[in-house]
Amino acid sequence: MNALHLLLNAVTVIFIAATMFAAGLGATLRALRTAFSDVPLLVLVLLVNLILIPLLGWGLAVLSGLATAPFIALILTASSPGGPFGAKLGMVQGGDVTTGAAMQVLLAAVGSITFGFTADALLTAADVGGGISLDVGALVRTVAILQLVPFAIGLILRHYATETALSWHPAAVKVSNVTFLIVLAGMLLGNWSDVVALLGTRSLVAGFLFSALSFGLGTLLATGPVRRRTTMGSITAVRNAGPALAAIGIAFNDQPAILGALAAILLSGLAAAIPIAATLGRRRPRSPEATTEMPDAAP
């Protein structure tokens, strides 16, 4: 079992680094500057994802009366913005792909710094499990290194060696997708008894409602045309699995119950976010921007 945990941890590190490296390879400074020049939208996106959504996760965990493991998993999920699959859902719904991808990258980068502080504050305030305190310093250092360094390398390559970056981008995305599936399968199969125990409980419902309500908040508290607003909804609904996985490894020694709860909450959240995006995509005409090529990315 220890060998399996070590293997899962190694694959998790590869997943986090590959995801952010792919994000850097796929970003351009021009697109980032254009998206960030919309100050009202930028402020609202940061407000919703860094403050309101974590509070929403805490509120749902309390109202649902979740047990300790799913409570922790939902808090960690809510505290981690910028899941890459949110940008993919922006394309599925025929939304504002360029702005969505830029905001996702920003949230993932900023979340590298804020995640530890936010999760620790909420877990401390909730007094879950008799009081849990995260090693914020170690968590921030680990997540920042795993996310910001690969992203910066990818962005530099895209700016100074564009052809190389474009040729590497599909492979980086594939590594991200495959490693995420391996990690998710490992969480489900390695902790199957804990996942099965969640069936019929409020945990899956809480994960589903969290994603659906996050989409609503992200859409409502955004500016611009409807396509852009709903794209911000998808970006908000899909959280970043990387920091949550890192936190479980660092602070909770890969406890099977928490890993299983995280997998269940991530899957139930996608069960809400994907149909919303697909329904929007069927109901609206495709815009030229929405058909811009964007490879799949993991949450």
Side-chain angles (χ1 to χ4, degrees), residues 165-254:
L166 292 175
S167 65
W168 287 6
H169 187 235
V173 171
K174 288 180 181 178
V175 171
S176 173
N177 290 339
V178 170
T179 52
F180 174 72
L181 292 176
I182 293 174
V183 170
L184 188 60
M187 289 192 295
L188 290 172
L189 297 177
N191 312 285
W192 65 270
S193 59
D194 296 287
V195 175
V196 171
L198 294 176
L199 298 177
T201 69
R202 298 188 185 96
S203 301
L204 298 181
V205 176
F208 186 92
L209 288 176
F210 171 75
S211 183
L213 292 174
S214 295
F215 178 88
L217 273 176
T219 301
L220 181 64
L221 298 179
T223 62
V226 174
R227 288 180 185 271
R228 176 172 297 176
R229 294 165 69 94
T230 57
T231 301
M232 295 305 105
S234 289
I235 296 297
T236 304
V238 179
R239 312 306 282 175
N240 193 349
L245 288 167
I248 294 174
I250 294 172
F252 302 104
N253 197 29
D254 288 324

Side-chain angles (χ1 to χ4, degrees), residues 2 18 20 26 32 40 43 47 66 87 103 105 109 120 134 136 141 143 151-152 164 180 183 238 247 277 284 294:
N2 288 334
M20 293 308 295
L32 293 175
V43 171
L47 171 66
L66 298 184
M103 289 301 175
V105 166
D120 182 62
L134 302 180
V136 176
R141 287 193 300 271
V143 174
F151 173 71
T164 300
F180 174 72
V183 170
V238 179
R284 60 175 48 149
M294 177 179 291

Side-chain angles (χ1 to χ4, degrees), residues 64-90:
S64 301
L66 298 184
T68 299
F71 195 114
I72 293 172
L74 185 54
I75 291 295
L76 295 178
T77 301
S79 302
S80 183
F85 194 66
K88 172 64 178 179
L89 291 184

Side-chain angles (χ1 to χ4, degrees), residues 42-56 78 81 107 213-214 216-222 232 236 239:
L42 181 62
V43 171
L44 286 171
V45 167
L46 291 174
L47 171 66
V48 170
N49 282 274
L50 300 182
I51 298 178
L52 297 185
I53 298 304
L55 292 176
L56 172 65
L107 288 170
L213 292 174
S214 295
L217 273 176
T219 301
L220 181 64
L221 298 179
M232 295 305 105
T236 304
R239 312 306 282 175

Side-chain angles (χ1 to χ4, degrees), residues 97-132:
V97 176
T98 300
T99 304
M103 289 301 175
Q104 177 268 313
V105 166
L106 171 69
L107 288 170
V110 174
S112 300
I113 307 300
T114 63
F115 169 75
F117 296 100
T118 304
D120 182 62
L122 292 180
L123 290 173
T124 301
D127 195 27
V128 62
I132 294 173

